[in-house]
Amino acid sequence: MTKQKILIARATFPDLLARLESQFEVESNQADEIFSAQTLQEKMRDKDAVMVTASEAISAALIATSPRLKAICNIAVGYNNIDVAAATAAGIMVTNTPDVLNETTADFGWALLMATARRITEAEHWLRAGHWDKWRYDAFLGADLHGSTLGIIGMGRIGQAIARRSMGFDMRVRYHNRSPLTPQQEAHANAAAYRSKEALLREADHVVLVLPYSAATHHTIGAAELALMKPSATLVNIARGGIVDDVALIAALRTGRVAAAGLDVFEHEPALHPDFLTLSNVVLTPHIASASAPTRRAMVQCATDNLLAALAGRIPPNCLNPESITNNH
Ligand code: GLV
C-alpha cells in the first residue's frame, strides 16, 4: 500500500518527526525555512495532511489547490491563520492544540505582567549598560500587583488560569468575554466579576488580553480604549497581533497615557513597528508564551495525535469543524 503523504511545514522535535516518518511519506522542513505562499502551494498540492504553525497562512486559495488534503493540523491553540470555512466546505478537518498550553501560557502572562509593572527588563538593560553606581530611593519605581485590580479580556481557559493565579496576590478580578462565565467558573477564577469592556478598562490597574483574533476582535484595544485606561495602568497582550492597534499603543506609551505594556505578539510579526524599540516602558518578547520545553513538546504531540486520527478516518480529538465530514471527498 502506498503511504499517505504529509507536510510538516516547520522544523520540529526530531523524535516526534521520526514517529510520523515511520508511518507516512513525510516532507519535512528541519532547515526551518519560511515558505512563501507559492512554495506552500507547491508542497501541499499532493499532500494528504499538513502540520503548520500560526506563522503559516492557510488561505482558501491554498486549500483550493490541495485536492488530496484531508487535514490541516495547527500547532497552536489560535487558528486565525487558517480559513476554516474554506476547509469545511472542502471537507478538510482543521485541528488545534488546546488545553496542553493553558497553564504554561498563563504562567507567561504573569511573567510578562510582573516584568512590565516592575520594569525588570528596563532595569536590567540599565544595569548591563554599566549605569549602576548607587542605590536610589526613586530608581525604577513601578506599579504593585498585590492588592490591585486585574482586568482580563478573553476569559477562556487561559484567562481563567491567569485569574486563578491572582489569588496569591490578593487581587480583584474583572473580566470581559463574549459570554459571562457560570457562577461556579467565576468563583474558581478568584471571584471574577463580569464587566463591559469599557468598565473593565476604566477600573483595572492591569489589563491582560487573552482573546482569539478574528475580524470581530481586530483592534479591540485602539486609541479610544487606551483613553479609558488609568494613566498608571499596565497592558499585556499574549493573544495575537492585531488585537491591539500598535500605532495607537505606541502613541499612548510615548505620552504616558498608559504607564507600560508587555507584548508577546505584534501586528506584523516577526516585523515590529520600529518605534517600540525606542520606548523604555515596554517589554517585548518574540511570541513565546507557550514556550516551555514540556509544553512545546505536548503541542507537537497533540498535533500529531490529531493528524494520525484524521488520516485513520477518525474525527481527531481537537477537530474544530467536525461538520467538514459531510463534505468529505
Ligand atoms: C500560540 O500563539 C497559540 O495560539 O498557540
Side-chain angles (χ1 to χ4, degrees), residues 10-27:
R10 297 292 302 280
T12 195
F13 297 97
D15 56 321
L16 298 181
L17 181 61
R19 180 178 168 207
L20 289 165
E21 283 170 341
S22 68
Q23 297 197 41
F24 303 110
E25 190 176 321
V26 178
E27 180 165 1

Side-chain angles (χ1 to χ4, degrees), residues 132-212:
W132 193 21
D133 58 349
K134 56 179 186 280
W135 183 91
R136 293 173 58 113
Y137 80 97
D138 60 351
F140 298 103
L141 301 183
D144 276 327
L145 277 302
H146 72 271
S148 68
T149 300
L150 176 64
I152 302 176
I153 303 185
M155 198 60 155
R157 294 161 288 215
I158 299 169
Q160 291 174 53
I162 290 173
R164 283 199 306 275
R165 284 159 172 72
S166 73
M167 288 184 198
F169 288 80
D170 288 331
M171 293 169 95
R172 288 169 298 281
V173 179
R174 309 293 181 244
Y175 75 96
H176 183 70
N177 199 42
R178 269 172 301 193
S179 42
L181 303 183
T182 64
Q184 205 177 16
Q185 286 172 318
E186 288 184 345
H188 279 130
N190 194 14
Y194 184 86
R195 292 286 187 271
S196 69
K197 180 174 83 173
E198 291 71 24
L200 179 148
L201 291 170
R202 283 196 195 94
E203 203 176 334
D205 297 304
H206 306 285
V207 176
V208 178
L209 305 171
V210 215
L211 64 167

Side-chain angles (χ1 to χ4, degrees), residues 6-10 20 24 44 48-54 56 58 69-79 81-82 87 92-97 299-311 314 316-321:
I6 68 172
L7 173 67
I8 312 298
R10 297 292 302 280
L20 289 165
F24 303 110
M44 282 171 58
D48 296 284
V50 59
M51 197 183 282
V52 295
T53 73
E56 283 73 52
I58 307 298
L69 205 61
K70 295 171 194 63
I72 302 165
C73 302
N74 219 23
I75 309 171
V77 64
Y79 49 88
N81 57 312
I82 301 170
I92 297 167
M93 289 186 270
V94 179
T95 66
N96 68 341
T97 58
M299 289 167 70
V300 177
Q301 187 67 62
C302 176
T304 301
D305 292 342
N306 284 322
L307 185 147
L308 290 170
L311 289 190
R314 299 194 303 275
N318 309 115
C319 188
L320 294 161
N321 59 345

